[in-house]
Structure formats: C-alpha cells, structure tokens
Amino acid sequence: MELNVSENLNEKQKLAVKHTEGPLLIIAGPGSGKTRVITQRIAHLIEHCDVKPWQIVAMTFTNKAAREMKDRLETLFSGEEQHRINASTFHSFCAMLLRREAEFLSLNQDYSILDDTDQISLLKRVMDEVGIDPNQWKVRSIQSAISNAKSKLMTASAFRAGKNSYFEEIVDRVFTRYEELVSQSNAVDFDDLIMNTNILFQNHPEVLEKYQSRYLHVMVDEFQDTNLAQYQIAQQLAGLHKNLCVVGDPDQSIYSWRNADITNILSFKKDYPDATEISLEQNYRSTKTILAAAQKVISPNQNRVDKDLWTQNDEGSPIIIAEAYDEFEEARITLNEIQNLIDAGICKPDEIAIMFRVNAQSRVLEEACLKSGVSYQLIGGIRFYQRQEVKDIVSYLRLLNNFNDDASLARIINIPQRSIGKTTLSKLSEQATAGGCSLWDQIELVVNQTNGDKSTSFLNKRSLNSVQVFYSLMKEIYDESKDLDLQSKMDLVIERTGYRNYLQNMEHGEERIQNLNELRESSADFSSIEDEEGLDPLTIFLERVSLISDVDHLDDHVNSITMITLHQAKGLEYKAVFIVGMEEGLLPHSRSLEHPEQMEEERRLCYVGLTRAHSRLYLMRAFRRGFRGNYEPSVPSRFLMDIPSKLTLNKGGNITQRDSKILKKTVSAQKSIFATETKSPYEEYKERIRQKKINSSKKQNDYNAGDKVVHDVFGEGVVVDVKAIPSDFELTIAFKDGLGIKKLLLQLAPIKKLNNK
DNA sequence: AAATCGTGGATTTTT
DNA sequence: TCCACGATTT
C-alpha cells in the first residue's frame, strides 16, 4: 500500500503531483505523461493528504479515459476504494446528478436523453408546426445555433432577448417550441444535461452546497475542449475548496465546432490569479524526428503560446511521405506497408493506426484491409447505437421507460408496419400540440374516448383501429415486462412487436439480428446492477447507451489495426501511424480554407495526428481523388510543406521546391472566392504530375525477373515477377533467410539493385 | 398506406 | 455518384 510518488517522475511532474492546495493549471504537451500525473496526483491526495476517494471528482473527455483512470488507480491501490472515485465525462456526471436531484426539477427520474437524430427529428416536427420551410432553413444550422446558445448558458428566452438577425429570429421561433416539446417529453438533449445542472445549482444553492462540500478536489482533463457551460460546472463544484485542477493543451484544441471554448484556459488564469501553472514539456512518446516535425507544423499558428517540447528519445526513422495515384492506390500502398511492418516483426497489428480527416475515407481502406487479409477495427463510421435496428429497439425500450418520449414513439409507431402512416401520425401530433400533451397521452385519450363511439374521432375507422392495436400492444408489453430483468425485457420487445419477424424477411436480416444480439450482450452487465439511487436498471442502461462514444469501444489489445478519424484519435498513441489524405481540401478541410481561425484548428488537428506516433509516421496522399462522382486532381497539403525535408523520405511524388511555389500560389489564390483564379496553378500542377507519372513508369525497366536486390529491412532477395498495375509496379521478391516471398510496390519498397550483374 | 419515381444535396469532425 | 427525402402514383 505504500506508494512512492516521486519515483519515475520528472521534476515538473513531481511538482504537479505534489501541488495539493488551490487552483492548478497544467499545460501538458503531447506525450508528456499527463495521464500518469493525474492518476499519481489522485493517489498522492488519498495517500498523503487524507482525502477520501469519494471526495474527488475527475472529468474526462470519454468514458474510456475515465475507465482507464480507474483501472490505473486500481493497480496503485489494492483495496476497493478506488471504485468510489468519481471519474466520468461531464455529460455522464450531470446525467447522474440530475437523476439524483430530480425532485428539484421539472423532470422525472426516468427522463430520456435525446441524441443527435432524436433532436433533428423533433426540430423537423417543430419547424413543420411553426411553418418554417426546411428547404430555406437547414435543420442542422438551427440545431447548431440552439446548441451554441445552450453551451454558453443561454436559455430560449435569453436567446429571444438577444436575437440580432433574421436567422436568429427564425431560430428563436423554433427554439421556444422545441424546449416546450422536449420538456413535455420528459427528456433532455446533450446540452441540456450541462445547462440544467447549472440552472439547478443556481436555483437551489443548497444542492450546490452539498456537492461543494463533498468534493474537496475537482479535476478536468482535456480542458481545452470544454465549453463555457462545462467550465462553469467545474468552477461551481470547486467553489468552496478552490481545489480546481485543469489539464490541457491549447495546441490540441480541436472541438471548437462543438462549441469548445479555447479561451477557457485564459479565463482560468483570470478567474484564479493565484493559480499555479505547470507546463509539462518533456515528451516520452515520440522520436526526435516526429516531435520536430510536429513542432514545425504547429508553429505557424498565430493564436498560440510557444512551447519548448523536447525528448530524450532517439532520432528514429525519417517520416515517410508518399504519393499514390488515387485513393485506391493510397489504400493499397498503406496496407502493403502495414503488412511489411507486421511481417518484419517491427509492429504488432494493434500498434498500428490509420487516421483520416473524414469518415468517408474509411471505405476504401476497409476494402483494402479485406483484400490483404489484415484485420481491423473501425472506430466510428456507422456507429453501433445509430444502426437502424439497434436504434429501433432502444426506442422501444425508451418508450417503456418513459411513455412521454415523443421522439422514440414517433420512430417506432409504424416499425414494423402497422398501417399507421404519416397522415395519422401528424393528426395525432397536431391534436397533442393543441392539447399540450405528449403523443402517448394523446393516443391514450383517443383510444379511451372512442371505445364506445368510433364516429366522433378525428381519425378514420381504419387508422383508429391500428392505433388501438398499437396501444394495447405496448400496454401488454409494459405489463408483462415490469418484473423482468433487462435482457428478458429486450427479448420480449423483439418478439412481441414482431420485430424479429420483420428483420428475418429483410435483406441483410441475419446481420441485423446479430447486431441485436450484440445489443443484448451489452445489456448483460446492467441486468443485475445494484443501484444505490433506486433507479431502474433499464434507466441506467439507456443512459449509458445515450452517452457512450465510439472510442469507448476501442479494444486495446486485439490482433487488429485501428482505423480512426483524427478527432477521435486524440489521447491515443500508436507505434506506427499512417495519416491518409494529406491534401488541400481534405486536411486542411475545404470548409476551413476561407477562415483563418478554422485553418488554425485544422493545423492543430494535423498536429494531434502527428503526435500520436511513437516511432513511425507515414503521410500519404493521392494525386487525384474521387469526389462526388468525378475525379479532381489534388494539391499536397500545406502542412507537408512545413516539415523540413531533412526529416522526411519521399516515396514517389517528391515535393520539390517548385511544388511549394505552386502550392503557395494556390493557397493565396484560394483566399479569393473565385475558383477560376485557382485554376491555372491546379492545371500546371496536374500537368507536371502527369509527366512525372510517365517518367516513373519508365523506371520499371530497372527491375526484371531474376535480378538480385537488397531491401532495407528484409535484406537480400531475388525478383521473381514484375507486374504492371495502374501507375505502379508490383514486384514479387523471394527473400533469403526464410523470410519468404513478398509482394512489394516499386514506388514504396525500400529496395536497391545488387550490382553483381 | 405503400411503392415508385425524381430531385437536390452532400459528410468535417461528436459528447 | 450516391443517398435521402418528398412528391406522385397505385
């Protein structure tokens, strides 16, 4: 149980761990051992400062990070106590708190949490209701305006008071009604979780005081990605003891589009002028080469404070920069190299990640994996809980948990088909709106009212009948499932609603049924949950489902490579990292080209990607990329130009000085709104690359079957076969020393001819 | 109410 | 190009 915290920590880390009184700001560069510092600090508090585990609350960015923190503490302490440490995301923390304190709110304990899709569908309903043309005003933009307001703690009425444009006028009309509908549904959206907690603290100081006195220490990880509303929560929780420790790195702030507020760090310094600031600058993760490249990429940002990152690690290998002809070849080359790394025993599959800017890029990569037989885990993409069949069953469960959940009811009322179509549903919803009640209440009303007399209903006889059937079905399921455990409840729903049948008659039905089995599995832990607050296991399960993220599913030690977006990769690390799509328009993304601030965020995103790598970094791009049907020639990412060539090795498609000139021209031309001005550098570039392609294909004559070659990694070998493939050549080479026959791409393979001929 | 056809628009990132 | 949604048909 004795714990010596100062061991294995550098001086700055020790300072951070031993600072136990008052506000603390830790600026933690990438790979600076941040997680270790946080856990050691908690351990130190418990060990030496007589702080009880339950007096500490730690906010993390993902559930996975929270779990890992608990796991680490578990290895430091043998007892049960570490379980009482409150480590969770802001959203989970607030969700739990709101349930616990539901009596102070206009919510029931079993409220639903609306996800993105629920939100969109409610907003559509509202827009329809208040007569706003969805073609003229995009639902997404209204959603984001509302979310933005809430993350700044602005209520609908505050928004109304401050509205300042025609768009905001439109938003205001939707906002007000949306709020009504949500609260009538006994539901909250993601932003409400944070916002309502703030409001609760404001309206009921006694509740706040309870938590303030309980939590002696408050920690916030990934502070650069919190929004104002979240910061406010942290501040209030620490309001009594002032032991607020925030950890972050402004250079890794990549969620401003989700209203994360980079100025929170500045505010912190202002709000706590006596705060201690510690900057962790020694990097334990990456090679000197990778770290230097990352620094070069981030430093052009205007809006930042320079850090002096350093590492004792080796130089390591150069960063490989490679150009492929198109996205298919990019994927092939990437997978080929990955196989080399694995075959040569340099990396295990789970030490390798492919990262990309947008999910759409993953498909080609997936196919390449399948082709080459490399197993992978794809994070994100079509997210598990967003799959139709999963979402449907979850909606049924949500309805059973909270019949006022309009979003869920609207989703499943006609799935499987029950002859309750759009018109019937909109009539019901119209009446519900008029009567100020939920859809379910309205249905109940209709069914009961018309039990005797069917002619008075606003529905025709057939629809009415269908609605009645649905009503009694749900009632029956509810009654029967009351005392069942979670899994049996789920089974009951799947069978009795006819959902299983519905799937069976569908193409890919088996796959979907598999997904439901997986959902069933995932609920196993909740069936027997011992709940302290007297909550239904179903409620807890549903909360988990709403707040879980994709990275939470990431398995660390499976025998497969990881494919992940750059955003999701934050906080992770891999021995070898491939970033694909290093092109203007993709990274940096085209949406950021005209906005300097967004461009800085793209740069940070790239920086996050680069700093995930321990020892091997590959920056891939395609000369042309399929985009909405047609192919566009692409320009290498400006971020590549910032990496000094002495750190890199170019494979195919060197970036020459002339390239950089062209790019510079392109970049400045892009600042102009008119695409025509960008045309000529594009054309020039395209033509030049074309020439280069022709030249490089001529190079193939260098290798013929029978040639002896030497490979950087595999050593000597003999060329067995040369095969032309689009824009490159595939060499089949038999290597010595039992390494066997390998297929390599000419453009990428680090091979030389042995000149004994 | 369901099935078919046609249009427009599109994906940046997600708790 | 592809998909999702809305309008039109049956």
Side-chain angles (χ1 to χ4, degrees):
Chain A
M1 189 78 175
E2 188 50 34
L3 182 81
N4 191 349
V5 286
S6 44
E7 217 147 295
N8 299 324
L9 292 175
N10 67 36
E11 287 310 312
K12 294 247 185 86
Q13 290 176 327
K14 273 185 219 166
L15 273 179
V17 166
K18 292 192 170 165
H19 173 101
T20 54
E21 297 274 307
L24 173 63
L25 169 63
I26 302 175
I27 303 290
S32 59
K34 175 191 73 173
T35 315
R36 258 184 67 219
V37 168
I38 299 177
T39 47
Q40 293 274 16
R41 186 164 181 272
I42 292 175
H44 181 251
L45 287 170
I46 296 171
E47 188 93 338
H48 300 286
C49 306
D50 198 30
V51 177
K52 298 294 173 206
W54 60 87
Q55 295 175 315
I56 299 170
V57 59
M59 305 295 186
T60 57
F61 193 68
T62 61
N63 297 297
K64 183 169 182 267
R67 201 179 59 223
E68 276 170 3
M69 190 180 289
K70 286 183 181 171
D71 286 350
R72 284 200 191 206
L73 286 165
E74 204 161 340
T75 59
L76 292 178
F77 296 108
S78 47
E80 287 284 304
E81 287 201 318
Q82 72 285 345
H83 290 302
R84 305 295 311 273
I85 288 184
N86 211 331
S88 64
T89 63
F90 271 103
H91 289 89
S92 308
F93 178 85
C94 291
M96 202 191 52
L97 192 146
L98 291 178
R99 288 198 203 285
R100 198 183 290 148
E101 312 296 344
E103 54 175 307
F104 297 101
L105 302 156
S106 53
L107 279 174
N108 290 333
Q109 226 183 17
D110 53 9
Y111 67 82
S112 305
I113 298 172
L114 304 175
D115 69 15
D116 188 68
T117 20
D118 303 322
Q119 227 184 114
I120 294 283
S121 72
L122 280 186
L123 284 169
K124 277 186 184 160
R125 182 175 151 191
V126 172
M127 285 168 75
D128 185 52
E129 208 180 289
V130 298
I132 288 168
D133 179 9
N135 292 320
Q136 200 184 347
W137 306 100
K138 286 193 219 123
V139 198
R140 283 265 163 220
S141 63
I142 293 183
Q143 181 206 29
S144 104
I146 291 177
S147 169
N148 194 270
K150 288 184 180 178
S151 65
K152 292 185 169 61
L153 292 173
M154 203 184 270
T155 59
S157 53
F159 186 88
R160 167 164 296 174
K163 70 186 171 190
N164 208 3
S165 66
Y166 187 43
F167 174 64
E168 289 181 352
E169 165 70 37
I170 297 292
V171 173
D172 167 42
R173 280 199 252 160
V174 180
F175 199 168
T176 312
R177 176 67 187 133
Y178 168 77
E179 291 293 282
E180 260 173 45
L181 204 55
V182 170
S183 86
Q184 191 183 80
S185 297
N186 186 29
V188 298
D189 63 29
F190 286 137
D191 300 304
D192 289 334
L193 288 169
I194 314 290
M195 174 130 159
N196 289 350
T197 306
N198 271 299
I199 294 174
L200 172 69
F201 286 165
Q202 195 175 27
N203 294 346
H204 296 276
E206 73 277 18
V207 177
L208 174 59
E209 276 160 25
K210 190 170 80 184
Y211 290 94
Q212 280 182 333
S213 54
R214 166 173 172 175
Y215 293 122
L216 296 182
H217 288 269
V218 180
M219 297 195 195
V220 182
D221 193 10
E222 306 285 5
F223 187 58
Q224 77 282 355
D225 286 321
T226 54
N227 62 34
L228 182 75
Q230 291 168 322
Y231 176 38
Q232 209 77 259
I233 299 268
Q235 274 189 292
Q236 302 205 57
L237 289 175
L240 184 61
H241 302 287
K242 307 285 181 206
N243 293 323
L244 176 58
C245 166
V246 300
V247 187
D249 178 4
D251 286 336
Q252 294 184 62
S253 160
I254 53 174
Y255 282 98
S256 72
W257 51 273
R258 219 176 72 190
N259 306 315
D261 196 341
I262 197 169
T263 61
N264 274 352
I265 293 190
L266 297 175
S267 312
F268 184 85
K269 292 196 199 183
K270 237 184 262 161
D271 295 336
Y272 303 96
D274 60 328
T276 305
E277 182 177 340
I278 296 172
S279 188
L280 303 177
E281 292 175 332
Q282 182 175 2
N283 175 298
Y284 296 94
R285 182 185 294 155
S286 308
T287 61
K288 286 197 173 73
T289 304
I290 291 170
L291 192 62
Q295 296 246 68
K296 287 287 184 188
V297 167
I298 195 68
S299 63
N301 269 1
Q302 298 296 305
N303 193 6
R304 75 181 281 271
V305 182
D306 202 24
K307 278 200 288 291
D308 199 14
L309 300 181
W310 59 281
T311 181
Q312 286 178 341
N313 294 343
D314 294 341
E315 294 293 320
S317 4
I319 296 162
I320 309 271
I321 296 180
E323 183 191 65
Y325 179 65
D326 57 16
E327 68 268 33
F328 301 101
E329 198 196 40
E330 179 185 54
R332 265 206 316 277
I333 295 178
T334 302
L335 262 295
N336 189 61
E337 183 62 13
I338 285 175
Q339 277 196 309
N340 286 346
L341 290 174
I342 296 171
D343 291 349
I346 297 170
C347 293
K348 284 184 281 182
D350 57 2
E351 294 173 324
I352 301 172
I354 308 177
M355 300 178 185
F356 33 81
R357 176 65 233 263
V358 300
N359 279 119
Q361 290 172 263
S362 69
R363 207 162 117 189
V364 184
L365 292 161
E366 265 188 280
E367 276 159 19
C369 280
L370 291 172
K371 247 181 233 161
S372 59
V374 170
S375 77
Y376 63 90
Q377 45 178 342
L378 174 66
I379 310 302
I382 324 117
R383 292 141 73 196
F384 182 73
Y385 289 103
Q386 293 295 345
R387 292 199 156 112
Q388 244 185 66
E389 60 277 15
V390 175
K391 189 92 217 267
D392 286 344
I393 295 305
V394 168
S395 295
Y396 273 110
L397 293 171
R398 265 170 55 174
L399 199 60
L400 291 174
N401 186 238
N402 166 22
F403 276 104
N404 291 325
D405 187 337
D406 279 12
S408 294
L409 188 138
R411 185 185 172 97
I412 51 81
I413 192 167
N414 202 30
I415 298 175
Q417 278 123 10
R418 301 189 175 90
S419 299
I420 303 175
K422 225 173 45 187
T423 35
T424 309
L425 186 59
S426 66
K427 273 186 193 162
L428 282 170
S429 120
E430 208 176 286
Q431 289 297 316
T433 305
C437 65
S438 68
L439 285 172
W440 177 260
D441 288 343
Q442 185 59 42
I443 288 173
E444 195 155 50
L445 212 64
V446 169
V447 170
N448 289 335
Q449 226 171 43
T450 51
N451 260 347
D453 176 14
K454 299 204 176 190
S455 59
T456 58
S457 173
F458 56 90
L459 296 173
N460 65 43
K461 237 163 69 186
R462 242 178 65 190
S463 317
L464 179 60
N465 197 34
S466 310
V467 170
Q468 273 173 330
V469 170
F470 172 74
Y471 177 77
S472 24
L473 174 68
M474 289 312 292
K475 273 243 145 188
E476 269 170 45
I477 295 179
Y478 178 75
D479 290 337
E480 280 178 46
S481 72
K482 243 186 216 157
D483 301 317
L484 295 178
D485 66 36
L486 193 45
Q487 288 205 334
S488 320
K489 251 183 208 169
M490 212 179 281
D491 293 339
L492 190 73
V493 166
I494 295 171
E495 298 302 334
R496 291 292 299 279
T497 58
Y499 204 90
R500 179 181 295 276
N501 258 330
Y502 162 75
L503 284 187
Q504 266 159 353
N505 300 324
M506 182 185 268
E507 50 180 339
H508 306 303
E510 269 315 306
E511 201 181 311
R512 286 160 188 262
I513 289 175
Q514 271 311 310
N515 285 333
L516 289 188
N517 287 337
E518 206 176 309
L519 178 69
R520 198 175 172 279
E521 291 290 297
S522 75
S523 75
D525 302 341
F526 293 84
S527 285
S528 59
I529 205 159
E530 192 70 35
D531 181 56
E532 305 148 31
E533 319 288 337
L535 287 167
D536 190 326
L538 177 58
T539 308
I540 300 178
F541 173 69
L542 290 173
E543 178 177 308
R544 249 304 277 283
V545 167
S546 314
L547 297 179
I548 206 152
S549 72
D550 290 308
V551 262
D552 296 333
H553 289 121
L554 188 64
D555 280 331
D556 286 337
H557 300 291
V558 292
N559 203 26
S560 44
I561 67 166
T562 300
M563 290 200 249
I564 195 166
T565 64
L566 287 162
H567 279 91
Q568 296 180 113
K570 191 182 69 165
L572 305 176
E573 52 182 291
Y574 295 89
K575 193 164 174 188
V577 170
F578 293 77
I579 303 180
V580 294
M582 291 293 298
E583 297 147 36
E584 288 287 299
L586 210 44
L587 182 66
H589 193 270
S590 53
R591 295 268 243 257
S592 67
L593 295 178
E594 290 136 50
H595 306 279
E597 278 178 21
Q598 286 177 35
M599 182 54 76
E600 295 215 339
E601 182 145 318
E602 294 293 306
R603 201 174 268 289
R604 294 193 291 268
L605 189 57
C606 183
Y607 175 74
V608 166
L610 302 178
T611 54
R612 300 308 93 197
H614 285 182
S615 53
R616 294 190 180 241
L617 183 58
Y618 296 81
L619 305 176
M620 319 290 291
R621 69 182 193 279
F623 156 57
R624 47 195 319 244
R625 188 172 292 274
F627 185 63
R628 290 187 203 157
N630 53 352
Y631 270 84
E632 300 264 313
S634 65
V635 175
S637 167
R638 65 190 69 191
F639 303 142
L640 290 173
M641 309 303 163
D642 297 319
I643 304 178
S645 56
K646 63 171 196 246
L647 301 175
T648 66
L649 192 61
N650 280 282
K651 297 283 186 180
N654 280 3
I655 297 174
T656 61
Q657 267 193 327
R658 186 155 168 239
D659 256 324
S660 348
K661 269 188 204 154
I662 293 169
L663 180 75
K664 268 179 200 149
K665 263 201 246 171
T666 314
V667 168
S668 57
Q670 272 164 349
K671 284 178 186 154
S672 145
I673 302 158
F674 301 103
T676 46
E677 290 183 35
T678 69
K679 203 171 171 182
S680 79
Y682 262 120
E683 291 303 322
E684 196 184 335
Y685 181 78
K686 199 166 94 180
E687 188 46 41
R688 207 180 56 71
I689 295 282
R690 224 177 250 142
Q691 279 306 317
K692 199 168 64 186
K693 286 286 158 188
I694 293 164
N695 291 339
S696 78
S697 27
K698 282 178 188 157
K699 232 170 62 183
Q700 94 33 71
N701 293 336
D702 290 358
Y703 292 96
N704 288 304
D707 287 351
K708 279 189 181 166
V709 295
V710 59
H711 185 281
D712 285 1
V713 177
F714 304 133
E716 278 183 42
V718 180
V719 178
V720 180
D721 190 29
V722 181
K723 200 173 87 189
I725 53 172
S727 81
D728 200 355
F729 291 87
E730 191 180 74
L731 308 179
T732 309
I733 301 173
F735 288 103
K736 276 185 169 177
D737 309 324
L739 283 166
I741 295 171
K742 295 190 190 302
K743 287 184 176 171
L744 305 170
L745 285 180
L746 177 64
Q747 295 221 0
L748 199 65
I751 51 174
K752 262 188 242 142
K753 247 186 174 183
L754 267 186
N755 45 352
N756 58 346
K757 213 168 167 183

